[in-house]
């Protein structure tokens, strides 16, 4: 016996529940942007991953608000063409959650969460001083998926790491120092503290 679902007959909510519970763990991007007036915004996105190294492309899956208006992140990237992906460590997990609350446009979630904005080097959006790593991105392409979703791809143009997170000679990122968290289904998150090594067999 197995349990099966016809995705073509499920509701949007049912598909969402199955997908976010099954495609796990999903990394969390705490995305910082600025609007056309230079006001800072921050929000978490777990429909997120890196898709290519040449060119170096990250992708975000951004929903619209229920009334179909753009989330502030989507609006700001549309207006400024840049964004910064900050990796979420366990130490800033609660602050990330504060940034996920529905604040009105123009409210700086970093201030609400007690996080520190540092000026971007190549982009107008700031990076978060407390994040273990941050990628400054220029919008590469936006895919409109249906009427309420966008996949926003950004090209990484600059990277920041906190001291100790990356070996500057070998470019090895230390997962223990990064201490990233990930999202599972529902409200459950996980750490990356249980790890093992696997070598690809040599043929
Ligand atoms: C851990 C976490 C992951 C989230 N992932 C997404 C996501 O992938 N896509 C999305 O549209 N919203 C996601 N959200 C919800 C947004 O963060 C939320 O709607 C936020 O208020 C948007 O803020 P903004 O209007 O400032 O852009 C997530 C929230 C949390 C807490």
């Amino acid at each position: 016996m197995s349990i099966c679902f016809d995705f073509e007959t499920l509701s949007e909510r049912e598909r969402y529940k199955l997908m976010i519970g099954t495609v796990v763990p999903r990394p969390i991007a705490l995305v910082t942007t600025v609007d056309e007036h230079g006001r800072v915004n921050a929000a978490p996105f777990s429909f997120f991953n890196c898709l290519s190294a040449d060119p170096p492309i990250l992708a975000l899956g951004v929903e619209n608000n229920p009334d179909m208006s753009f989330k502030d992140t989507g609006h700001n990237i549309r207006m400024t063409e840049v964004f910064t992906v900050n990796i979420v460590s366990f130490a800033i997990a609660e602050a990330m959650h504060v940034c996920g609350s529905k604040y009105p446009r123009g409210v700086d979630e970093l201030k609400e969460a007690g996080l520190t904005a540092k000026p971007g080097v190549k982009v107008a959006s700031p990076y978060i001083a407390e994040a273990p790593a941050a990628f400054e991105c220029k919008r590469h392409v936006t895919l409109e998926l249906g009427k309420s979703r966008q996949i926003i791809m950004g090209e990484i143009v600059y990277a920041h790491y906190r001291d100790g997170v990356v070996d500057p000679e070998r470019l090895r990122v230390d997962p223990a120092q990064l201490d990233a968290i990930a999202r599972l289904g529902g409200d459950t998150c996980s750490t990356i503290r249980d790890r093992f090594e696997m070598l690809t067999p040599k043929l």
Side-chain angles (χ1 to χ4, degrees):
M1 281 290 276
S2 62
I3 301 170
C4 304
F5 300 93
D6 179 352
F7 259 58
E8 292 184 317
T9 62
L10 294 179
S11 69
E12 183 271 330
R13 181 73 194 154
E14 290 167 336
R15 291 191 298 255
Y16 173 81
K17 284 176 74 172
L18 287 175
M19 287 175 73
I20 65 159
T22 309
V23 183
V24 293
R26 289 185 312 288
I28 303 172
L30 183 49
V31 178
T32 39
T33 51
V34 287
D35 69 8
E36 59 275 33
H37 310 293
R39 296 178 300 187
V40 172
N41 190 83
F45 293 86
S46 71
F47 283 3
F48 157 63
N49 222 308
C50 61
L51 300 184
S52 160
D54 186 21
I57 299 292
L58 297 180
L60 306 173
V62 183
E63 280 175 56
N64 285 359
N65 290 313
D67 68 359
M68 288 294 174
S69 61
F70 287 126
K71 291 188 180 182
D72 297 346
T73 302
H75 170 88
N76 292 354
I77 296 173
R78 187 165 284 244
M79 298 305 285
T80 64
E81 302 259 306
V82 297
F83 61 95
T84 300
V85 163
N86 301 272
I87 299 300
V88 178
S89 61
F90 186 74
I92 60 168
E94 286 190 19
M96 173 278 293
H97 240 180
V98 172
C99 295
S101 301
K102 184 78 204 120
Y103 290 102
R105 185 162 296 169
V107 171
D108 180 347
E109 288 91 353
L110 295 184
K111 284 202 179 116
E112 301 295 323
L115 294 171
T116 315
K118 305 269 269 182
V121 173
K122 291 197 171 184
V123 299
S125 41
Y127 70 98
I128 299 173
E130 292 83 0
F135 289 128
E136 297 187 6
C137 299
K138 292 185 178 168
R139 192 183 69 82
H140 181 73
V141 72
T142 302
L143 303 179
E144 306 282 346
L145 297 188
K147 60 187 187 307
S148 64
R149 314 274 156 146
Q150 294 180 315
I151 305 292
I152 301 173
M153 297 191 200
E155 179 169 352
I156 303 169
V157 292
Y158 203 82
H160 302 264
Y161 289 91
R162 295 198 74 189
D163 277 349
V165 174
V166 65
D167 172 342
E169 304 301 325
R170 298 173 58 220
L171 302 187
R172 192 181 172 281
V173 178
D174 181 344
Q177 292 296 320
L178 196 72
D179 202 23
I181 62 161
R183 201 176 199 199
L184 308 177
D187 294 324
T188 310
C189 290
S190 67
T191 64
I192 54 164
R193 292 176 182 176
D194 185 12
R195 299 185 292 272
F196 60 95
E197 303 283 326
M198 269 211 312
L199 297 179
T200 306
K202 287 205 170 57
L203 296 181

